[in-house]
Amino acid sequence: MSFEAGSGLLTAWGESASLMRYLDDLFRSWAAAVGAVEYLFPPVISVRALDRAGFFASFPHFTTAVAPLRDVETAGRFVDRARRGPVDEVGRESLADARYLLAPAACYAIYDHFQGRQLEDDLRVTTLAPCFRREEAYEAASRQWAFWMREIVCIGRLGTVQSFLDGFRERLARTLQSAGFPFVVAAATDPFFDRSDPRLLMQRLGPVKDEIRYQGSLAIASVNFHRNFFGERFDIRDASGGPAFSGCVAFGLERWMTSLTREYGDDWKAYPPSLSIGPCRDFVM
Amino acid sequence: MSFEAGSGLLTAWGESASLMRYLDDLFRSWAAAVGAVEYLFPPVISVRALDRAGFFASFPHFTTAVAPLRDVETAGRFVDRARRGPVDEVGRESLADARYLLAPAACYAIYDHFQGRQLEDDLRVTTLAPCFRREEAYEAASRQWAFWMREIVCIGRLGTVQSFLDGFRERLARTLQSAGFPFVVAAATDPFFDRSDPRLLMQRLGPVKDEIRYQGSLAIASVNFHRNFFGERFDIRDASGGPAFSGCVAFGLERWMTSLTREYGDDWKAYPPSLSIGPCRDFVM
Protein backbone atom coordinates (compact mmCIF):
# COMPACT_ATOMS: atom_id res chain seq x y z
CA MET A 1 0.00 0.00 0.00
CA SER A 2 1.03 3.59 -0.49
CA PHE A 3 -0.83 6.70 0.62
CA GLU A 4 -0.59 10.33 -0.43
CA ALA A 5 -1.54 12.12 2.76
CA GLY A 6 -1.99 15.49 1.05
CA SER A 7 -4.55 14.21 -1.42
CA GLY A 8 -6.05 11.40 0.68
CA LEU A 9 -5.50 8.81 -2.08
CA LEU A 10 -4.57 5.18 -1.40
CA THR A 11 -3.00 2.66 -3.77
CA ALA A 12 -3.19 -1.01 -2.78
CA TRP A 13 -1.49 -3.96 -4.47
CA GLY A 14 -0.64 -7.59 -3.97
CA GLU A 15 -1.93 -8.85 -0.61
CA SER A 16 -3.72 -5.57 0.19
CA ALA A 17 -5.54 -5.56 -3.14
CA SER A 18 -6.49 -9.24 -2.62
CA LEU A 19 -7.79 -8.45 0.84
CA MET A 20 -9.93 -5.57 -0.47
CA ARG A 21 -11.41 -7.93 -3.05
CA TYR A 22 -11.94 -10.65 -0.45
CA LEU A 23 -13.73 -8.24 1.88
CA ASP A 24 -16.10 -7.16 -0.84
CA ASP A 25 -16.77 -10.81 -1.72
CA LEU A 26 -17.56 -11.40 1.97
CA PHE A 27 -20.00 -8.46 2.13
CA ARG A 28 -21.59 -9.61 -1.13
CA SER A 29 -22.12 -13.06 0.38
CA TRP A 30 -23.96 -11.35 3.27
CA ALA A 31 -26.00 -9.37 0.73
CA ALA A 32 -26.81 -12.56 -1.16
CA ALA A 33 -27.97 -14.17 2.11
CA VAL A 34 -30.77 -11.57 2.30
CA GLY A 35 -31.59 -11.86 -1.39
CA ALA A 36 -30.15 -8.48 -2.42
CA VAL A 37 -29.79 -7.87 -6.16
CA GLU A 38 -26.43 -6.46 -7.21
CA TYR A 39 -26.30 -3.15 -9.08
CA LEU A 40 -23.34 -1.59 -10.84
CA PHE A 41 -23.99 2.15 -11.10
CA PRO A 42 -21.99 4.76 -13.01
CA PRO A 43 -19.22 6.19 -10.78
CA VAL A 44 -20.78 9.67 -11.02
CA ILE A 45 -24.21 10.92 -9.92
CA SER A 46 -26.12 13.99 -11.04
CA VAL A 47 -26.05 17.16 -8.96
CA ARG A 48 -29.85 17.11 -9.11
CA ALA A 49 -30.07 13.61 -7.57
CA LEU A 50 -27.68 14.41 -4.73
CA ASP A 51 -29.53 17.65 -4.07
CA ARG A 52 -32.80 15.74 -3.90
CA ALA A 53 -31.17 13.46 -1.33
CA GLY A 54 -30.42 16.50 0.84
CA PHE A 55 -26.69 16.53 0.14
CA PHE A 56 -26.19 20.27 -0.33
CA ALA A 57 -28.22 21.06 2.78
CA SER A 58 -26.10 18.69 4.85
CA PHE A 59 -22.67 17.89 3.44
CA PRO A 60 -21.77 20.52 0.78
CA HIS A 61 -18.18 20.62 2.09
CA PHE A 62 -17.73 17.00 0.91
CA THR A 63 -18.39 18.10 -2.70
CA THR A 64 -16.18 16.62 -5.40
CA ALA A 65 -17.56 17.90 -8.70
CA VAL A 66 -16.97 16.49 -12.16
CA ALA A 67 -16.81 18.70 -15.23
CA PRO A 68 -15.64 18.47 -18.83
CA LEU A 69 -13.83 21.31 -20.57
CA ARG A 70 -16.07 24.23 -21.64
CA ASP A 71 -15.83 23.67 -25.38
CA VAL A 72 -13.62 22.38 -28.20
CA GLU A 73 -11.73 25.68 -28.43
CA THR A 74 -10.66 25.25 -24.81
CA ALA A 75 -9.57 21.68 -25.57
CA GLY A 76 -7.53 22.98 -28.51
CA ARG A 77 -5.78 25.52 -26.26
CA PHE A 78 -4.62 22.66 -24.01
CA VAL A 79 -2.83 21.05 -26.96
CA ASP A 80 -0.79 24.24 -27.38
CA ARG A 81 -0.30 24.69 -23.67
CA ALA A 82 0.98 21.10 -23.27
CA ARG A 83 3.56 21.75 -26.00
CA ARG A 84 4.86 24.85 -24.27
CA GLY A 85 5.40 23.21 -20.86
CA PRO A 86 4.02 21.04 -18.09
CA VAL A 87 0.31 21.27 -17.25
CA ASP A 88 -0.46 20.67 -13.59
CA GLU A 89 -3.96 22.02 -13.25
CA VAL A 90 -7.08 22.78 -15.26
CA GLY A 91 -8.27 26.21 -14.14
CA ARG A 92 -11.95 26.57 -13.32
CA GLU A 93 -12.30 29.11 -16.14
CA SER A 94 -11.65 26.25 -18.59
CA LEU A 95 -14.37 24.02 -17.14
CA ALA A 96 -18.04 23.67 -17.98
CA ASP A 97 -20.51 23.99 -15.12
CA ALA A 98 -20.61 20.69 -13.21
CA ARG A 99 -23.78 18.64 -13.55
CA TYR A 100 -22.29 15.53 -11.93
CA LEU A 101 -20.51 14.78 -8.68
CA LEU A 102 -18.56 11.90 -7.18
CA ALA A 103 -20.93 10.69 -4.48
CA PRO A 104 -20.05 10.64 -0.76
CA ALA A 105 -21.89 7.32 -0.23
CA ALA A 106 -22.87 4.37 -2.39
CA CYS A 107 -26.61 4.25 -1.71
CA TYR A 108 -27.69 7.59 -3.24
CA ALA A 109 -27.55 6.06 -6.71
CA ILE A 110 -30.11 3.48 -5.59
CA TYR A 111 -32.80 6.00 -4.55
CA ASP A 112 -32.16 7.94 -7.75
CA HIS A 113 -32.52 4.77 -9.82
CA PHE A 114 -35.89 3.92 -8.28
CA GLN A 115 -37.18 7.49 -8.43
CA GLY A 116 -40.90 7.75 -9.21
CA ARG A 117 -41.51 4.00 -8.78
CA GLN A 118 -44.43 2.32 -7.15
CA LEU A 119 -42.87 -0.81 -5.61
CA GLU A 120 -44.90 -4.00 -5.81
CA ASP A 121 -42.51 -5.77 -3.45
CA ASP A 122 -40.05 -4.54 -0.88
CA LEU A 123 -36.56 -4.23 -2.38
CA ARG A 124 -33.15 -5.41 -1.30
CA VAL A 125 -30.31 -4.00 -3.36
CA THR A 126 -26.53 -4.01 -2.99
CA THR A 127 -23.79 -2.03 -4.68
CA LEU A 128 -20.09 -1.26 -4.39
CA ALA A 129 -18.99 2.25 -5.31
CA PRO A 130 -15.99 4.54 -5.19
CA CYS A 131 -16.97 7.34 -2.78
CA PHE A 132 -15.45 10.78 -2.29
CA ARG A 133 -15.42 13.11 0.70
CA ARG A 134 -13.30 16.23 0.84
CA GLU A 135 -11.88 16.62 4.33
CA GLU A 136 -9.43 18.98 6.05
CA ALA A 137 -6.91 16.19 6.64
CA TYR A 138 -6.57 12.54 5.65
CA GLU A 139 -5.24 9.34 7.15
CA ALA A 140 -4.39 6.10 5.33
CA ALA A 141 -7.21 3.55 5.25
CA SER A 142 -9.32 5.46 7.75
CA ARG A 143 -10.04 8.94 6.37
CA GLN A 144 -9.56 9.30 2.63
CA TRP A 145 -10.75 11.60 -0.13
CA ALA A 146 -11.54 8.52 -2.23
CA PHE A 147 -12.55 5.20 -0.69
CA TRP A 148 -14.69 2.13 -1.47
CA MET A 149 -18.05 1.49 0.13
CA ARG A 150 -20.30 -1.58 -0.16
CA GLU A 151 -23.91 -0.97 0.83
CA ILE A 152 -26.89 -3.26 1.27
CA VAL A 153 -30.15 -1.35 1.11
CA CYS A 154 -33.76 -2.25 1.87
CA ILE A 155 -36.58 -0.08 0.48
CA GLY A 156 -40.23 -0.78 1.19
CA ARG A 157 -42.67 -1.09 4.04
CA LEU A 158 -41.73 0.03 7.53
CA GLY A 159 -41.84 -3.46 9.08
CA THR A 160 -39.67 -4.99 6.36
CA VAL A 161 -37.04 -2.27 6.69
CA GLN A 162 -37.01 -2.54 10.47
CA SER A 163 -36.60 -6.34 10.37
CA PHE A 164 -33.84 -5.99 7.77
CA LEU A 165 -31.90 -3.52 9.92
CA ASP A 166 -32.51 -5.36 13.21
CA GLY A 167 -31.44 -8.65 11.62
CA PHE A 168 -28.29 -7.16 10.15
CA ARG A 169 -27.29 -5.33 13.31
CA GLU A 170 -27.65 -8.54 15.31
CA ARG A 171 -25.95 -10.81 12.80
CA LEU A 172 -23.05 -8.41 12.27
CA ALA A 173 -22.45 -8.25 16.01
CA ARG A 174 -22.69 -12.04 16.33
CA THR A 175 -20.30 -12.57 13.42
CA LEU A 176 -17.69 -10.20 14.86
CA GLN A 177 -18.11 -11.59 18.37
CA SER A 178 -17.56 -15.10 17.17
CA ALA A 179 -14.37 -13.90 15.41
CA GLY A 180 -13.14 -12.40 18.69
CA PHE A 181 -12.97 -8.99 17.02
CA PRO A 182 -12.78 -5.99 19.42
CA PHE A 183 -15.72 -3.71 18.66
CA VAL A 184 -18.59 -1.75 20.12
CA VAL A 185 -21.96 -0.82 18.65
CA ALA A 186 -22.62 2.87 19.23
CA ALA A 187 -25.42 5.22 18.26
CA ALA A 188 -24.29 8.08 16.06
CA THR A 189 -25.90 11.20 14.69
CA ASP A 190 -25.44 11.88 11.05
CA PRO A 191 -27.05 14.85 9.32
CA PHE A 192 -28.64 12.72 6.61
CA PHE A 193 -31.50 15.13 6.65
CA ASP A 194 -31.76 18.80 5.92
CA ARG A 195 -30.93 20.53 9.21
CA SER A 196 -34.30 22.25 9.15
CA ASP A 197 -36.08 18.91 8.76
CA PRO A 198 -37.99 17.79 11.87
CA ARG A 199 -36.64 14.29 11.26
CA LEU A 200 -33.24 15.51 12.39
CA LEU A 201 -34.81 16.13 15.79
CA MET A 202 -36.39 12.67 15.66
CA GLN A 203 -33.00 11.25 14.84
CA ARG A 204 -31.62 12.87 17.97
CA LEU A 205 -34.52 11.59 20.05
CA GLY A 206 -34.24 8.04 18.78
CA PRO A 207 -30.97 7.04 17.16
CA VAL A 208 -31.31 5.91 13.57
CA LYS A 209 -27.63 5.32 12.91
CA ASP A 210 -25.65 2.65 14.72
CA GLU A 211 -21.97 2.33 14.05
CA ILE A 212 -19.79 -0.74 14.48
CA ARG A 213 -16.58 0.73 15.87
CA TYR A 214 -13.25 -1.06 15.90
CA GLN A 215 -11.39 -0.61 19.19
CA GLY A 216 -14.08 1.85 20.18
CA SER A 217 -13.31 4.55 17.61
CA LEU A 218 -12.97 3.57 13.92
CA ALA A 219 -16.44 3.13 12.35
CA ILE A 220 -16.07 0.17 9.99
CA ALA A 221 -19.79 -0.30 9.33
CA SER A 222 -23.02 1.52 9.98
CA VAL A 223 -26.65 0.48 10.14
CA ASN A 224 -28.87 3.38 9.09
CA PHE A 225 -32.62 3.88 9.25
CA HIS A 226 -33.82 6.75 7.02
CA ARG A 227 -37.53 6.50 7.91
CA ASN A 228 -39.40 7.56 4.75
CA PHE A 229 -37.06 10.46 3.93
CA PHE A 230 -35.68 9.07 0.65
CA GLY A 231 -39.10 7.63 -0.26
CA GLU A 232 -40.52 11.16 -0.09
CA ARG A 233 -37.60 12.90 -1.72
CA PHE A 234 -37.44 10.45 -4.65
CA ASP A 235 -41.16 9.72 -4.84
CA ILE A 236 -40.72 5.99 -4.25
CA ARG A 237 -43.92 4.42 -2.92
CA ASP A 238 -44.13 1.11 -1.09
CA ALA A 239 -46.80 -1.57 -1.53
CA SER A 240 -49.18 0.47 0.64
CA GLY A 241 -48.94 3.43 -1.75
CA GLY A 242 -47.24 5.73 0.77
CA PRO A 243 -43.65 7.03 0.66
CA ALA A 244 -41.35 4.02 1.02
CA PHE A 245 -39.19 3.52 4.09
CA SER A 246 -35.54 2.68 3.67
CA GLY A 247 -32.48 1.59 5.56
CA CYS A 248 -28.95 0.64 4.65
CA VAL A 249 -25.96 -1.21 5.99
CA ALA A 250 -22.67 0.33 4.85
CA PHE A 251 -19.16 -1.15 4.91
CA GLY A 252 -16.00 0.93 4.39
CA LEU A 253 -13.56 -1.44 2.67
CA GLU A 254 -10.32 0.35 3.57
CA ARG A 255 -11.33 0.56 7.24
CA TRP A 256 -12.10 -3.16 7.35
CA MET A 257 -8.75 -3.82 5.71
CA THR A 258 -6.99 -1.73 8.37
CA SER A 259 -8.72 -3.31 11.33
CA LEU A 260 -8.70 -6.93 10.12
CA THR A 261 -5.04 -6.70 9.11
CA ARG A 262 -4.21 -5.36 12.56
CA GLU A 263 -6.15 -8.18 14.25
CA TYR A 264 -5.47 -11.14 12.01
CA GLY A 265 -2.75 -10.21 9.50
CA ASP A 266 -3.29 -9.95 5.76
CA ASP A 267 -3.78 -13.62 4.93
CA TRP A 268 -7.57 -13.77 4.76
CA LYS A 269 -7.41 -17.50 4.09
CA ALA A 270 -6.45 -17.90 7.76
CA TYR A 271 -9.23 -15.63 9.10
CA PRO A 272 -11.72 -16.89 11.73
CA PRO A 273 -14.48 -19.08 10.24
CA SER A 274 -17.20 -16.47 10.81
CA LEU A 275 -15.27 -14.11 8.50
CA SER A 276 -14.85 -16.69 5.76
CA ILE A 277 -17.04 -17.04 2.73
CA GLY A 278 -18.98 -20.27 2.93
CA PRO A 279 -22.59 -21.30 2.59
CA CYS A 280 -23.40 -18.41 4.95
CA ARG A 281 -23.06 -20.65 8.02
CA ASP A 282 -22.61 -17.79 10.41
CA PHE A 283 -24.63 -15.24 8.57
CA VAL A 284 -28.12 -16.46 7.82
CA MET A 285 -30.72 -13.74 8.18
CA MET B 1 -29.46 -2.60 -17.86
CA SER B 2 -30.49 0.98 -18.38
CA PHE B 3 -28.64 3.66 -20.31
CA GLU B 4 -28.86 7.45 -20.31
CA ALA B 5 -27.93 8.28 -23.87
CA GLY B 6 -27.50 12.00 -23.19
CA SER B 7 -24.93 11.47 -20.46
CA GLY B 8 -23.43 8.18 -21.68
CA LEU B 9 -23.97 6.48 -18.31
CA LEU B 10 -24.89 2.79 -17.95
CA THR B 11 -26.45 1.03 -14.96
CA ALA B 12 -26.25 -2.77 -14.88
CA TRP B 13 -27.94 -5.13 -12.43
CA GLY B 14 -28.78 -8.77 -11.90
CA GLU B 15 -27.49 -10.90 -14.78
CA SER B 16 -25.69 -7.97 -16.46
CA ALA B 17 -23.89 -7.04 -13.26
CA SER B 18 -22.93 -10.71 -12.74
CA LEU B 19 -21.63 -10.93 -16.29
CA MET B 20 -19.50 -7.79 -15.84
CA ARG B 21 -18.01 -9.33 -12.70
CA TYR B 22 -17.48 -12.65 -14.44
CA LEU B 23 -15.68 -10.99 -17.34
CA ASP B 24 -13.32 -9.19 -15.03
CA ASP B 25 -12.65 -12.46 -13.18
CA LEU B 26 -11.85 -14.04 -16.55
CA PHE B 27 -9.42 -11.25 -17.52
CA ARG B 28 -7.82 -11.45 -14.08
CA SER B 29 -7.29 -15.17 -14.56
CA TRP B 30 -5.46 -14.34 -17.80
CA ALA B 31 -3.42 -11.72 -15.93
CA ALA B 32 -2.60 -14.26 -13.22
CA ALA B 33 -1.44 -16.71 -15.92
CA VAL B 34 1.34 -14.25 -16.82
CA GLY B 35 2.17 -13.51 -13.20
CA ALA B 36 0.74 -9.97 -13.16
CA VAL B 37 0.37 -8.34 -9.73
CA GLU B 38 -3.00 -6.70 -9.11
CA TYR B 39 -3.14 -2.99 -8.24
CA LEU B 40 -6.11 -1.01 -6.99
CA PHE B 41 -5.46 2.65 -7.79
CA PRO B 42 -7.47 5.69 -6.69
CA PRO B 43 -10.24 6.42 -9.22
CA VAL B 44 -8.69 9.84 -9.98
CA ILE B 45 -5.27 10.74 -11.37
CA SER B 46 -3.35 14.00 -11.17
CA VAL B 47 -3.43 16.47 -14.06
CA ARG B 48 0.37 16.46 -13.90
CA ALA B 49 0.59 12.67 -14.39
CA LEU B 50 -1.79 12.63 -17.34
CA ASP B 51 0.04 15.57 -18.89
CA ARG B 52 3.33 13.70 -18.50
CA ALA B 53 1.69 10.77 -20.35
CA GLY B 54 0.93 13.08 -23.28
CA PHE B 55 -2.79 13.30 -22.59
CA PHE B 56 -3.30 17.03 -23.22
CA ALA B 57 -1.28 16.92 -26.41
CA SER B 58 -3.40 14.06 -27.75
CA PHE B 59 -6.84 13.68 -26.16
CA PRO B 60 -7.73 16.94 -24.35
CA HIS B 61 -11.31 16.67 -25.63
CA PHE B 62 -11.76 13.52 -23.47
CA THR B 63 -11.11 15.59 -20.31
CA THR B 64 -13.31 14.92 -17.30
CA ALA B 65 -11.93 17.08 -14.51
CA VAL B 66 -12.52 16.68 -10.79
CA ALA B 67 -12.70 19.68 -8.47
CA PRO B 68 -13.87 20.45 -4.94
CA LEU B 69 -15.67 23.67 -4.05
CA ARG B 70 -13.43 26.78 -3.85
CA ASP B 71 -13.68 27.30 -0.11
CA VAL B 72 -15.88 26.84 2.96
CA GLU B 73 -17.78 30.07 2.26
CA THR B 74 -18.86 28.63 -1.10
CA ALA B 75 -19.94 25.42 0.63
CA GLY B 76 -21.98 27.49 3.07
CA ARG B 77 -23.72 29.29 0.21
CA PHE B 78 -24.86 25.90 -1.15
CA VAL B 79 -26.66 25.18 2.13
CA ASP B 80 -28.70 28.37 1.65
CA ARG B 81 -29.20 27.76 -2.05
CA ALA B 82 -30.47 24.19 -1.42
CA ARG B 83 -33.06 25.56 1.02
CA ARG B 84 -34.36 28.06 -1.53
CA GLY B 85 -34.92 25.53 -4.31
CA PRO B 86 -33.50 22.67 -6.37
CA VAL B 87 -29.81 22.67 -7.25
CA ASP B 88 -29.02 21.06 -10.59
CA GLU B 89 -25.52 22.28 -11.28
CA VAL B 90 -22.41 23.57 -9.59
CA GLY B 91 -21.24 26.55 -11.62
CA ARG B 92 -17.55 26.68 -12.50
CA GLU B 93 -17.21 29.92 -10.50
CA SER B 94 -17.88 27.86 -7.35
CA LEU B 95 -15.14 25.31 -8.12
CA ALA B 96 -11.48 25.22 -7.22
CA ASP B 97 -9.00 24.72 -10.05
CA ALA B 98 -8.89 21.03 -10.97
CA ARG B 99 -5.71 19.17 -10.04
CA TYR B 100 -7.20 15.72 -10.75
CA LEU B 101 -8.97 14.07 -13.65
CA LEU B 102 -10.92 10.90 -14.27
CA ALA B 103 -8.54 8.99 -16.54
CA PRO B 104 -9.41 7.88 -20.09
CA ALA B 105 -7.58 4.55 -19.66
CA ALA B 106 -6.58 2.33 -16.75
CA CYS B 107 -2.83 2.04 -17.39
CA TYR B 108 -1.76 5.68 -16.87
CA ALA B 109 -1.91 5.18 -13.09
CA ILE B 110 0.66 2.40 -13.45
CA TYR B 111 3.34 4.52 -15.16
CA ASP B 112 2.69 7.28 -12.64
CA HIS B 113 3.08 4.82 -9.75
CA PHE B 114 6.45 3.57 -11.01
CA GLN B 115 7.74 7.05 -11.86
CA GLY B 116 11.45 7.52 -11.21
CA ARG B 117 12.08 3.81 -10.55
CA GLN B 118 15.00 1.74 -11.66
CA LEU B 119 13.45 -1.70 -12.27
CA GLU B 120 15.48 -4.69 -11.19
CA ASP B 121 13.10 -7.05 -12.94
CA ASP B 122 10.63 -6.59 -15.75
CA LEU B 123 7.15 -5.88 -14.38
CA ARG B 124 3.73 -7.33 -15.08
CA VAL B 125 0.88 -5.41 -13.50
CA THR B 126 -2.90 -5.54 -13.85
CA THR B 127 -5.64 -3.16 -12.78
CA LEU B 128 -9.35 -2.52 -13.27
CA ALA B 129 -10.47 1.11 -13.37
CA PRO B 130 -13.48 3.26 -14.14
CA CYS B 131 -12.50 5.28 -17.22
CA PHE B 132 -14.02 8.45 -18.66
CA ARG B 133 -14.05 9.85 -22.18
CA ARG B 134 -16.20 12.80 -23.18
CA GLU B 135 -17.61 12.18 -26.64
CA GLU B 136 -20.05 13.94 -28.96
CA ALA B 137 -22.57 11.10 -28.74
CA TYR B 138 -22.90 7.89 -26.78
CA GLU B 139 -24.22 4.38 -27.31
CA ALA B 140 -25.06 1.79 -24.66
CA ALA B 141 -22.23 -0.62 -23.87
CA SER B 142 -20.14 0.51 -26.81
CA ARG B 143 -19.42 4.24 -26.45
CA GLN B 144 -19.90 5.63 -22.97
CA TRP B 145 -18.74 8.62 -20.96
CA ALA B 146 -17.93 6.24 -18.07
CA PHE B 147 -16.90 2.63 -18.62
CA TRP B 148 -14.75 -0.08 -17.03
CA MET B 149 -11.39 -1.13 -18.37
CA ARG B 150 -9.12 -3.99 -17.24
CA GLU B 151 -5.53 -3.69 -18.37
CA ILE B 152 -2.55 -6.00 -18.14
CA VAL B 153 0.72 -4.11 -18.54
CA CYS B 154 4.32 -5.19 -19.02
CA ILE B 155 7.14 -2.71 -18.29
CA GLY B 156 10.79 -3.59 -18.78
CA ARG B 157 13.23 -4.65 -21.43
CA LEU B 158 12.29 -4.55 -25.09
CA GLY B 159 12.43 -8.34 -25.61
CA THR B 160 10.26 -9.05 -22.57
CA VAL B 161 7.61 -6.54 -23.65
CA GLN B 162 7.57 -7.86 -27.21
CA SER B 163 7.18 -11.48 -26.04
CA PHE B 164 4.43 -10.43 -23.65
CA LEU B 165 2.48 -8.67 -26.40
CA ASP B 166 3.08 -11.34 -29.04
CA GLY B 167 2.03 -14.04 -26.60
CA PHE B 168 -1.12 -12.22 -25.58
CA ARG B 169 -2.13 -11.36 -29.13
CA GLU B 170 -1.77 -14.99 -30.18
CA ARG B 171 -3.48 -16.48 -27.11
CA LEU B 172 -6.37 -14.03 -27.28
CA ALA B 173 -6.96 -14.93 -30.91
CA ARG B 174 -6.72 -18.67 -30.17
CA THR B 175 -9.11 -18.34 -27.22
CA LEU B 176 -11.72 -16.49 -29.25
CA GLN B 177 -11.29 -18.81 -32.25
CA SER B 178 -11.84 -21.84 -30.11
CA ALA B 179 -15.03 -20.21 -28.76
CA GLY B 180 -16.27 -19.69 -32.34
CA PHE B 181 -16.45 -15.95 -31.66
CA PRO B 182 -16.64 -13.74 -34.81
CA PHE B 183 -13.71 -11.33 -34.71
CA VAL B 184 -10.84 -9.86 -36.67
CA VAL B 185 -7.48 -8.55 -35.50
CA ALA B 186 -6.82 -5.17 -37.11
CA ALA B 187 -4.02 -2.63 -36.85
CA ALA B 188 -5.17 0.73 -35.54
CA THR B 189 -3.55 4.09 -35.06
CA ASP B 190 -3.99 5.75 -31.76
CA PRO B 191 -2.38 9.10 -30.95
CA PHE B 192 -0.77 7.83 -27.75
CA PHE B 193 2.08 10.16 -28.51
CA ASP B 194 2.32 13.88 -28.87
CA ARG B 195 1.50 14.59 -32.52
CA SER B 196 4.87 16.27 -32.94
CA ASP B 197 6.68 13.19 -31.63
CA PRO B 198 8.57 11.22 -34.30
CA ARG B 199 7.24 8.02 -32.72
CA LEU B 200 3.83 8.89 -34.15
CA LEU B 201 5.39 8.51 -37.59
CA MET B 202 6.99 5.23 -36.48
CA GLN B 203 3.60 4.10 -35.28
CA ARG B 204 2.19 4.74 -38.73
CA LEU B 205 5.07 2.92 -40.36
CA GLY B 206 4.81 -0.12 -38.13
CA PRO B 207 1.54 -0.58 -36.30
CA VAL B 208 1.86 -0.63 -32.54
CA LYS B 209 -1.81 -1.04 -31.74
CA ASP B 210 -3.79 -4.12 -32.72
CA GLU B 211 -7.49 -4.23 -32.00
CA ILE B 212 -9.65 -7.32 -31.54
CA ARG B 213 -12.85 -6.30 -33.28
CA TYR B 214 -16.19 -8.03 -32.80
CA GLN B 215 -18.05 -8.51 -36.08
CA GLY B 216 -15.35 -6.44 -37.72
CA SER B 217 -16.12 -3.13 -36.01
CA LEU B 218 -16.48 -3.04 -32.20
CA ALA B 219 -13.01 -3.01 -30.58
CA ILE B 220 -13.36 -5.19 -27.47
CA ALA B 221 -9.65 -5.44 -26.70
CA SER B 222 -6.42 -3.87 -27.85
CA VAL B 223 -2.79 -4.91 -27.72
CA ASN B 224 -0.57 -1.82 -27.52
CA PHE B 225 3.17 -1.36 -27.83
CA HIS B 226 4.37 2.01 -26.50
CA ARG B 227 8.08 1.56 -27.29
CA ASN B 228 9.95 3.44 -24.54
CA PHE B 229 7.59 6.45 -24.57
CA PHE B 230 6.22 6.02 -21.03
CA GLY B 231 9.64 4.90 -19.76
CA GLU B 232 11.06 8.25 -20.93
CA ARG B 233 8.14 10.37 -19.82
CA PHE B 234 7.98 8.83 -16.33
CA ASP B 235 11.71 8.20 -15.95
CA ILE B 236 11.28 4.45 -15.48
CA ARG B 237 14.49 2.57 -16.30
CA ASP B 238 14.70 -1.10 -17.14
CA ALA B 239 17.38 -3.56 -15.99
CA SER B 240 19.76 -2.20 -18.64
CA GLY B 241 19.50 1.31 -17.17
CA GLY B 242 17.80 2.82 -20.25
CA PRO B 243 14.20 4.09 -20.47
CA ALA B 244 11.91 1.10 -19.97
CA PHE B 245 9.75 -0.25 -22.77
CA SER B 246 6.09 -0.95 -22.13
CA GLY B 247 3.04 -2.53 -23.63
CA CYS B 248 -0.48 -3.21 -22.49
CA VAL B 249 -3.47 -5.36 -23.25
CA ALA B 250 -6.77 -3.58 -22.59
CA PHE B 251 -10.28 -5.01 -22.23
CA GLY B 252 -13.45 -2.88 -22.32
CA LEU B 253 -15.87 -4.68 -19.99
CA GLU B 254 -19.11 -3.22 -21.36
CA ARG B 255 -18.11 -4.04 -24.94
CA TRP B 256 -17.31 -7.66 -24.02
CA MET B 257 -20.67 -7.82 -22.25
CA THR B 258 -22.43 -6.57 -25.39
CA SER B 259 -20.71 -8.92 -27.79
CA LEU B 260 -20.72 -12.05 -25.62
CA THR B 261 -24.38 -11.55 -24.71
CA ARG B 262 -25.21 -11.24 -28.39
CA GLU B 263 -23.28 -14.41 -29.24
CA TYR B 264 -23.95 -16.65 -26.25
CA GLY B 265 -26.66 -15.06 -24.10
CA ASP B 266 -26.14 -13.75 -20.60
CA ASP B 267 -25.64 -17.06 -18.78
CA TRP B 268 -21.85 -17.12 -18.56
CA LYS B 269 -21.98 -20.53 -16.88
CA ALA B 270 -22.93 -21.93 -20.29
CA TYR B 271 -20.16 -20.12 -22.21
CA PRO B 272 -17.67 -22.05 -24.39
CA PRO B 273 -14.91 -23.73 -22.36
CA SER B 274 -12.20 -21.38 -23.64
CA LEU B 275 -14.13 -18.48 -22.07
CA SER B 276 -14.55 -20.19 -18.74
CA ILE B 277 -12.36 -19.67 -15.71
CA GLY B 278 -10.42 -22.81 -14.99
CA PRO B 279 -6.82 -23.70 -14.37
CA CYS B 280 -5.95 -21.61 -17.43
CA ARG B 281 -6.30 -24.65 -19.71
CA ASP B 282 -6.80 -22.58 -22.83
CA PHE B 283 -4.78 -19.58 -21.82
CA VAL B 284 -1.29 -20.54 -20.80
CA MET B 285 1.32 -18.02 -21.92
Side-chain angles (χ1 to χ4, degrees), chain A:
Chain A
M1 286 200 314
S2 67
F3 186 67
E4 288 181 40
S7 58
L9 298 174
L10 182 89
T11 297
W13 64 89
E15 288 299 316
S16 318
S18 294
L19 179 54
M20 292 276 281
R21 177 177 300 277
Y22 174 77
L23 287 169
D24 190 54
D25 288 346
L26 179 66
F27 305 143
R28 278 195 307 121
S29 77
W30 296 350
V34 297
V37 175
E38 181 154 26
Y39 276 69
L40 180 58
F41 291 103
V44 294
I45 187 166
S46 72
V47 170
R48 184 185 296 258
L50 270 192
D51 178 53
R52 197 168 269 137
F55 172 79
F56 290 107
S58 303
F59 314 110
H61 51 288
F62 282 163
T63 297
T64 302
V66 165
L69 296 180
R70 295 179 66 158
D71 45 40
V72 289
E73 290 71 28
T74 305
R77 279 196 294 275
F78 272 91
V79 175
D80 298 332
R81 195 173 139 192
R83 286 206 185 125
R84 288 197 308 272
V87 179
D88 61 6
E89 66 178 24
V90 177
R92 59 175 169 269
E93 71 285 353
S94 297
L95 299 175
D97 295 331
R99 296 187 158 269
Y100 289 85
L101 302 177
L102 290 157
C107 66
Y108 293 115
I110 298 174
Y111 316 120
D112 185 39
H113 180 79
F114 287 101
Q115 191 191 332
R117 301 272 187 96
Q118 162 71 58
L119 306 180
E120 290 180 26
D121 293 309
D122 301 323
L123 294 174
R124 287 173 190 77
V125 170
T126 185
T127 196
L128 171 71
C131 295
F132 285 72
R133 296 183 186 178
R134 290 297 288 195
E135 307 261 12
E136 290 296 308
Y138 301 108
E139 194 179 341
S142 73
R143 190 165 300 277
Q144 302 185 171
W145 178 26
F147 56 97
W148 290 89
M149 188 186 293
R150 162 69 65 181
E151 292 205 50
I152 308 169
V153 176
C154 180
I155 309 177
R157 287 165 295 183
L158 176 60
T160 310
V161 172
Q162 281 174 327
S163 306
F164 167 85
L165 294 175
D166 290 346
F168 245 108
R169 196 185 294 103
E170 189 186 311
R171 290 291 177 172
L172 259 177
R174 204 182 298 172
T175 297
L176 292 173
Q177 264 155 15
S178 110
F181 183 85
F183 74 101
V184 294
V185 180
T189 53
D190 193 28
F192 253 112
F193 310 130
D194 185 317
R195 288 171 208 279
S196 62
D197 192 303
R199 271 167 296 215
L200 186 60
L201 181 63
M202 286 172 67
Q203 189 184 24
R204 288 197 180 128
L205 293 173
V208 292
K209 182 188 190 78
D210 284 323
E211 289 181 345
I212 308 264
R213 296 182 186 158
Y214 170 61
Q215 288 186 333
S217 61
L218 186 69
I220 59 171
S222 63
V223 178
N224 306 276
F225 178 45
H226 317 124
R227 304 185 194 272
N228 56 6
F229 177 78
F230 292 120
E232 277 185 4
R233 287 292 180 101
F234 289 92
D235 186 28
I236 306 170
R237 282 147 285 130
D238 67 19
S240 77
F245 287 78
S246 64
C248 68
V249 185
F251 303 91
L253 267 67
E254 289 86 350
R255 289 180 170 192
W256 279 74
M257 179 171 64
T258 301
S259 56
L260 293 188
T261 301
R262 208 168 293 166
E263 291 299 315
Y264 310 112
D266 60 9
D267 179 13
W268 47 263
K269 291 174 220 72
Y271 279 10
S274 68
L275 293 173
S276 69
I277 302 173
C280 304
R281 281 167 312 192
D282 295 289
F283 205 86
V284 178
M285 300 297 285

